[in-house]
Amino acid sequence: MARVIVDVMLKPEILDAQGQAIARALPRLGFSGVASVRQGKRFEVELDGPADDAALADVRKMAETLLANTVIEDYIVTVERAES
């Protein structure tokens, strides 16, 4: 079994209103030194088998089809290392 992580973020040229709202709220909550915030999504996909090339191709297709709106979002697929 393998776990694959899909991180989805708005493309840099897309306004991140939620990230801006978070950045404005941080000083009111006592946090300083934050220049900006971008908000995104993280998906953890548990595979039945190994994270081989075919399985990763399927996860990328999942990301393009359902997990990310590729018009305004980018995604990164990574395999989580097993804890030892």
Side-chain angles (χ1 to χ4, degrees):
M1 234 166 94
R3 178 179 292 175
V4 179
I5 308 301
V6 181
D7 288 307
V8 179
M9 296 291 294
L10 286 171
K11 292 182 177 183
E13 61 272 15
I14 302 297
L15 175 69
D16 185 352
Q18 189 169 2
Q20 289 179 341
I22 292 167
R24 285 191 305 271
L26 289 173
R28 291 192 306 267
L29 296 171
F31 298 100
S32 61
V34 177
S36 67
V37 175
R38 304 256 327 148
Q39 183 267 333
K41 301 178 277 189
R42 174 185 166 109
F43 298 92
E44 297 181 359
V45 180
E46 296 276 342
L47 301 176
D48 286 335
D52 57 16
D53 289 341
L56 291 176
D58 282 346
V59 173
R60 285 186 190 91
K61 187 164 180 111
M62 289 176 210
E64 291 173 11
T65 306
L66 177 65
L67 304 179
N69 177 349
T70 56
V71 173
I72 62 169
E73 295 174 318
D74 290 326
Y75 66 89
I76 298 173
V77 175
T78 56
V79 178
E80 189 172 81
R81 293 188 327 178
E83 295 180 12
S84 46

